[in-house]
């Protein structure tokens, strides 16, 4: 993984599958450069858990963090689209608008990957992002096949 700056690290337990299920540990790295945030996060999919459900719940939580409240698990917010990213281990790729924690508009780019029982999210947030920057960051992730 190629981060364009020295990342901060964090780890937290998140109740992705609801309050009736055990929380999962989420590991995160992020850094800001020239008004853009570059981030990576990962979690171990719990044994017996549905990876599709995990990704949907994670995506819903990510949209909420951008002040977007889509209705239902499969609905995408206005302005969001799923991008074709037919590459090994890529589960899905999304992009669309949102708001940062200061209420300022931004563009988000997400790529979910999976290797074995680990699911990863590579993300870039900011305005005026060039397609080449997004692609270079996403292409820097090389996961090992289990």
């Amino acid at each position: 993984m190629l981060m364009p700056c020295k990342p901060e690290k964090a780890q937290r337990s998140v109740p992705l599958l609801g309050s009736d299920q055990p929380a999962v540990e989420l590991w995160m790295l992020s850094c800001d450069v020239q008004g853009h945030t570059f981030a990576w996060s990962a979690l171990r999919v719990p044994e017996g858990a549905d990876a599709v459900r995990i990704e949907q719940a994670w995506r819903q939580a990510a949209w909420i963090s951008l002040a977007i409240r889509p209705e239902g698990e499969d609905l995408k917010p206005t302005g969001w689209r799923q991008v074709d990213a037919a590459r090994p281990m890529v589960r899905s790729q999304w992009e669309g608008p949102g708001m940062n924690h200061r209420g300022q508009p931004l563009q988000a780019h997400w790529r979910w990957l999976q290797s074995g029982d680990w699911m990863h999210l590579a993300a870039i947030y900011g305005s005026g992002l060039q397609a080449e920057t997004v692609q270079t960051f996403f292409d820097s992730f090389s996961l090992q096949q289990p």
Side-chain angles (χ1 to χ4, degrees):
M1 159 180 36
L2 187 65
M3 295 292 274
C5 42
K6 183 175 176 159
E8 294 183 23
K9 298 176 186 180
Q11 180 181 346
R12 70 175 58 129
S13 294
V14 293
L16 268 184
L17 297 176
S19 59
D20 61 331
Q21 297 293 317
V24 295
E25 286 298 307
L26 183 65
W27 286 267
M28 299 163 282
L29 298 173
S30 71
C31 64
D32 297 318
V33 63
Q34 297 179 346
H36 300 115
T37 299
F38 294 81
W40 167 86
S41 50
L43 59 80
R44 186 181 295 262
V45 176
E47 188 174 326
D50 179 5
V52 171
R53 185 170 169 223
I54 295 263
E55 183 186 347
Q56 286 174 337
W58 196 349
R59 192 169 49 246
Q60 292 290 318
W63 276 325
I64 289 169
S65 75
L66 296 176
I68 299 169
R69 303 222 182 258
E71 297 176 19
E73 290 182 4
D74 294 328
L75 298 178
K76 63 182 181 203
T78 302
W80 276 81
R81 69 185 187 102
Q82 189 167 4
V83 180
D84 180 26
R87 291 179 173 27
M89 295 182 278
V90 173
R91 292 187 55 85
S92 68
Q93 187 168 321
W94 293 79
E95 59 186 37
M99 302 294 259
N100 68 16
H101 63 281
R102 293 184 184 105
Q104 298 169 327
L106 58 72
Q107 190 73 15
H109 301 268
W110 298 334
R111 180 181 279 181
W112 269 272
L113 305 103
Q114 187 163 359
S115 177
D117 58 353
W118 283 92
M119 191 175 297
H120 306 261
L121 171 60
I124 306 177
Y125 304 94
S127 58
L129 285 164
Q130 295 183 0
E132 182 179 322
T133 302
V134 173
Q135 200 60 49
T136 299
F137 180 64
F138 283 164
D139 287 348
S140 76
F141 287 82
S142 62
L143 302 176
Q144 300 296 317
Q145 290 283 2

